Amino acid sequence: MTTIAFIGLGNMGGPMAINLQKAGHAVRAFDLSKEAVAKVVAEGATAAFSAQDAVQGAKVVVTMLPASQHVEALFLGKDGAPGLLASIAPGTLVIDSSTIAAATSQKVAKAADAAGIDFIDAPVSGGTGGAIAGTLTFMVGGTTAQLERAQPYLEKMGANIFHAGAVGAGQTAKICNNMLLGILMVGTSEAIALGVANGLDPKVLSEIMRRSSGGNWALEKYNPFPGVHENAPASKGYAGGFGTDLMLKDLGLAQDNAIATKASTPLGGMARAIYAAHSIAGHGGEDFSSVIKMLQKP
Ligand code: NAD
């Protein structure tokens, strides 16, 4: 049994923390939202009063926060307030599973290294369903020794663990994947909306495409049309899941990276513009598959 601090207990972090607790570890849980903490405490974890409190006695720290600015402010501090690294004991392993800029992971890792702390980036794929089932895919950036240290914990939350390269490489792999996911969700939505506008049953059309050359993850598990997949956010009023604004953040990270590396990503750029328009129309907090609303006939 290991004492694990888990900070960021939202749609993803909550179920991930519960899986670590169920695996026999002692989870010290912290989130700015008391409701989020309560859900994890109901499964046996201990509530922490602050991030500083959560890391007391912890050998491992896991973070699952929205974006770069949250991770940087937490670990390195903000507006003169000290960062969490100052409260973490040397020798501790920190696993950051948030999707953030690779440069931020590298900046935090450098400061952690100076304090004798192992920091790896380990963003995930698999959605909230994967987080609950413990079948996430982890994309790890760090040394082989750091990954080996993290492996027993990652295995309790995921089914596939990849070593993408040095610190930050996990984030780069993640934004490539999410750029593709964002494009595929728009394409899938477009195709279903076109079929429905022509009188096709969305379930029948989705099944035809799933078993044909257009098959993809959205058609397998995360159909954007309500009622096709019972457990997908589309069938729950687009609640929970992966927020449009989080997808927009990831497509922004991909475009920032493409600009820096002079890569050509025209569809990634177009997808970012589509999700931005969808967010401005008031759908930023809904699951990203709600982008189909932009493409459907009223
Ligand atoms: P979420 O908004 O549901 O949860 C984020 C949580 O972090 C919230 O509960 C919030 O209160 C908490 N938080 C923010 N700042 C904090 C702080 N300083 N201290 C403590 N808690 C703080 O987001 P999510 O869907 O769980 O996503 C988390 C990360 O995982 C994001 O980077 C996202 O891009 C990535 N991700 C999400 C999915 C998905 O399907 N939702 C899939 C893969 C990756």
Side-chain angles (χ1 to χ4, degrees):
M1 186 198 76
T2 304
T3 300
I4 302 174
F6 206 116
I7 301 165
L9 308 163
N11 291 331
M12 296 296 286
M16 290 165 72
I18 289 170
N19 282 334
L20 287 172
Q21 179 70 34
K22 282 186 176 161
H25 297 299
V27 172
R28 295 176 61 78
F30 179 68
D31 192 291
L32 297 176
S33 152
K34 287 201 168 62
E35 295 78 44
V37 175
K39 281 187 197 163
V40 179
V41 168
E43 300 291 336
T46 304
F49 304 110
S50 62
Q52 278 76 10
D53 180 34
V55 302
Q56 294 312 310
K59 292 270 176 290
V60 176
V61 177
V62 185
T63 44
M64 193 49 162
L65 299 171
S68 300
Q69 64 270 27
H70 305 101
V71 174
E72 183 164 345
L74 178 77
F75 286 110
L76 304 183
K78 195 184 168 193
D79 302 332
L84 190 62
L85 287 182
S87 303
I88 298 176
T92 305
L93 170 67
V94 177
I95 301 169
D96 178 40
S97 283
S98 327
T99 305
I100 62 170
T104 306
S105 299
Q106 287 156 355
K107 188 175 173 184
V108 176
K110 200 173 167 196
D113 191 46
I117 296 164
D118 273 332
F119 177 97
I120 61 169
D121 54 311
V124 302
S125 180
T128 45
I132 294 165
T135 56
L136 292 169
T137 294
F138 282 92
M139 309 163 205
V140 178
T143 65
T144 303
Q146 288 170 332
L147 172 57
E148 279 170 7
R149 242 191 116 181
Q151 188 96 14
Y153 308 104
L154 301 182
E155 279 171 0
K156 300 299 177 205
M157 301 182 280
N160 304 297
I161 299 158
F162 291 103
H163 191 189
V167 69
Q171 299 296 352
T172 305
K174 172 65 183 170
I175 58 162
C176 293
N177 178 74
N178 272 27
M179 184 177 79
L180 180 58
L181 171 65
I183 293 166
L184 285 175
M185 187 58 84
V186 173
T188 302
S189 297
E190 247 178 59
I192 295 174
L194 178 65
V196 169
N198 280 277
L200 293 188
D201 180 326
K203 270 193 182 170
V204 173
L205 172 61
S206 293
E207 189 56 10
I208 291 169
M209 295 194 294
R210 186 178 77 84
R211 290 171 179 253
S212 304
S213 43
N216 67 68
W217 184 81
L219 289 169
E220 287 288 342
K221 297 185 175 169
Y222 214 94
N223 199 293
F225 202 93
V228 177
H229 290 148
E230 202 184 313
N231 290 322
S235 301
K236 300 172 182 170
Y238 300 101
F242 181 43
T244 296
D245 282 345
L246 289 178
M247 173 53 88
L248 187 54
K249 169 205 56 156
D250 291 358
L251 289 167
L253 289 172
Q255 290 312 292
D256 288 348
N257 190 290
I259 290 165
T261 56
K262 294 196 170 79
S264 175
T265 53
L267 291 182
M270 207 177 285
R272 202 207 75 85
I274 291 170
Y275 287 100
H278 188 50
S279 175
I280 286 168
H283 305 285
E286 294 176 5
D287 181 74
F288 79 115
S289 64
S290 62
V291 73
I292 194 170
K293 291 181 188 175
M294 278 192 73
L295 306 159
Q296 277 173 313
K297 279 192 171 177

